[in-house]
Amino acid sequence: MAANLSASVAAPEAAAAQERNPPALVFGVLLIVVIICGNLLVCLSVLTEKALKTTTNYFIVSLAVADLMLAVLVLPLFVYSEFQDGVWPLSSTICDYLMTMDVMLCTASIFNLCAISVDRFIAVLIPLNYNRKHVDLRQAVLLSATWILALAVASPIIFGINNMPGRDPRECKLENNDYVLYSSVCSFFIPCPIMLLLYCGMFRGLRRWEEARKAKLRNSIQACRKLQEAAATLPPLASLPPPLPPIIEREPTETLDEMSNFPSPEPPFPSSEYRAPVPAVSFAEIQFNPDPRRRKRAKINSRERKAMKVLPVVVGAFLFCWTPFFVLHTLRARCEDCQIPAALMSVVTWLGYVNSALNPVIYTIFNTEFRNLFKKLLHRCCSKRA
């Protein structure tokens, strides 16, 4: 009897041990550490470096804050559930908290990317009305709207929409299929096309600006060549006569006529000593622009063109990581007959969370300023520890 009892007790314990998922725990802990360290570096770089304190980078800090909150508030519980092989060991209230924060922070991430695209669109197409150094009212409204709308999308979970009859307490997921469709449309399927359209408009504006800049450059080069050709026909300096005495008596009318024919304020040479014709040079083809606003426009466009190297990669990485999840998430909610394996849903969920660790890596690869600041901050941390 004792042997049978011990065997019956050992069997559930062995089964429970087999249900653990240690690789998920190891990978999850590493992912949390990478997300926290990488996004903290992004925030510290922008807050400590004056060159990085631009409105675009303030939006990037908002995105990094969303990723940090995801790593601190959501991922630990998700990793714990995955370590339990997908079985939710905690209460339904904590599950609803997890779902609320998960939906809100993922929505905030994509809304921040959408706000960045709106900000870039304004900066490229309306540069004179764009404040690059300080956050103005329009940009403050964009930053606030990203978080307010994200909270609005996730708020139905707080008010109990996830409490459906027949809910399995061993699973932590969104139970209301209508809400799954609503949250997916608001969080992903509407912002993504808007974001892509804005980036297409930006690239078209940048291409037009680049073509106009190249055309102006060609015209300037042609005008300079004409000046060089005209200057080549002038006699060498050695053949010029000696300078005139400091005081020369001339009639006023004669002086005015000669000054009108020559651009130089110095008196012309006497006709008896030098009769070589001087070719007239026209400066009409070189247009010097004294208007400071137009100079500001070109400078801003050049900076925005450099910033565009990073942001499309960030958006592309986000779409690559989160599109499979939202497609399968919506398909599972609307197609009850579709059998989607739990392992596949787990993989696409992990892929979405990996995106929070990719953004600092993208900044390091494609942005020289971020890369240099990351190296400086890491060097300071290592030197303090040593």
Side-chain angles (χ1 to χ4, degrees), residues 40-320:
L40 272 179
L41 283 175
V42 172
C43 296
L44 290 175
S45 298
V46 175
L47 295 178
T48 58
E49 183 64 21
K50 185 177 180 181
L52 292 177
K53 290 182 179 180
T54 63
T55 53
T56 302
N57 290 338
Y58 290 143
F59 283 97
I60 291 176
V61 168
S62 179
L63 178 63
V65 169
D67 292 334
L68 277 173
M69 294 177 66
L70 185 75
V72 174
L73 301 177
V74 175
L75 279 180
L77 292 175
F78 172 76
V79 171
Y80 181 64
S81 175
E82 288 292 303
F83 176 66
Q84 300 290 337
D85 201 24
V87 178
W88 181 251
L90 304 176
S91 66
S92 299
T93 303
I94 299 178
C95 174
D96 291 342
Y97 154 78
L98 175 64
M99 289 293 100
T100 302
M101 298 305 298
D102 191 12
V103 172
M104 186 187 77
L105 295 175
C106 291
T107 305
S109 294
I110 192 168
F111 282 179
N112 273 298
L113 289 174
C114 196
I116 291 174
S117 65
V118 174
D119 182 71
R120 297 296 85 206
F121 184 82
I122 295 172
V124 171
L125 298 185
I126 320 175
L128 295 181
N129 296 328
Y130 179 76
N131 189 351
R132 190 177 187 272
K133 285 295 182 184
H134 305 285
V135 177
D136 59 13
L137 180 61
R138 178 180 60 244
Q139 292 152 349
V141 168
L142 276 176
L143 281 170
S144 302
T146 57
W147 291 95
I148 294 173
L149 292 176
L151 180 61
V153 172
S155 60
I157 305 176
I158 303 175
F159 297 110
I161 199 173
N162 216 33
N163 295 326
M164 300 292 292
R167 177 179 179 178
D168 188 356
R170 296 175 302 175
E171 291 184 355
C172 185
K173 62 179 184 178
L174 295 176
E175 302 289 339
N176 192 314
N177 291 334
D178 293 332
Y179 176 74
V180 170
L181 180 63
Y182 158 77
S183 61
S184 299
V185 169
C186 293
S187 303
F188 188 80
F189 291 110
I190 289 179
C192 284
I194 294 175
M195 188 164 47
L196 294 176
L197 287 175
L198 288 174
Y199 274 110
C200 289
M202 258 182 293
F203 283 121
R204 291 180 61 186
L206 286 173
R207 187 169 60 249
R208 287 196 298 267
W209 175 83
E210 186 70 20
E211 292 173 355
R213 187 184 67 86
K214 290 180 179 179
K216 290 181 180 179
L217 182 61
R218 285 194 300 267
N219 292 336
S220 299
I221 292 174
Q222 292 175 0
C224 289
R225 287 176 178 173
K226 290 183 179 180
L227 284 175
Q228 290 175 352
E229 293 174 357
T233 61
L234 293 173
L237 294 177
S239 64
L240 294 177
L244 295 175
I247 299 175
I248 299 178
E249 295 293 334
R250 290 182 179 272
E251 293 293 329
T253 55
E254 182 183 359
T255 305
L256 291 176
D257 291 338
E258 289 178 349
M259 290 181 64
S260 63
N261 293 330
F262 294 91
S264 173
E266 298 179 357
F269 305 122
S271 57
S272 60
E273 295 182 7
Y274 184 71
R275 298 179 179 275
V278 179
V281 179
S282 175
F283 292 89
E285 295 182 11
I286 299 182
Q287 298 179 357
F288 296 96
N289 184 16
D291 189 357
R293 294 191 307 168
R294 298 193 63 178
R295 290 199 298 268
K296 181 180 178 183
R297 178 185 181 95
K299 187 176 182 181
I300 288 177
N301 276 326
S302 176
R303 289 178 178 177
E304 304 312 326
R305 186 165 52 90
K306 292 181 180 179
M308 294 302 295
K309 294 179 180 179
V310 181
L311 296 178
V313 182
V314 175
V315 174
F318 185 91
L319 295 178
F320 174 79

Side-chain angles (χ1 to χ4, degrees), residues 340-372:
I340 300 176
L344 180 60
M345 285 301 303
S346 178
V347 168
V348 296
T349 305
W350 278 109
L351 180 62
Y353 291 143
V354 166
N355 176 253
S356 298
L358 287 180
N359 291 339
V361 177
I362 294 172
Y363 303 144
T364 305
I365 295 174
F366 290 92
N367 192 306
T368 306
E369 293 177 340
F370 271 109
R371 183 167 62 249
N372 294 335

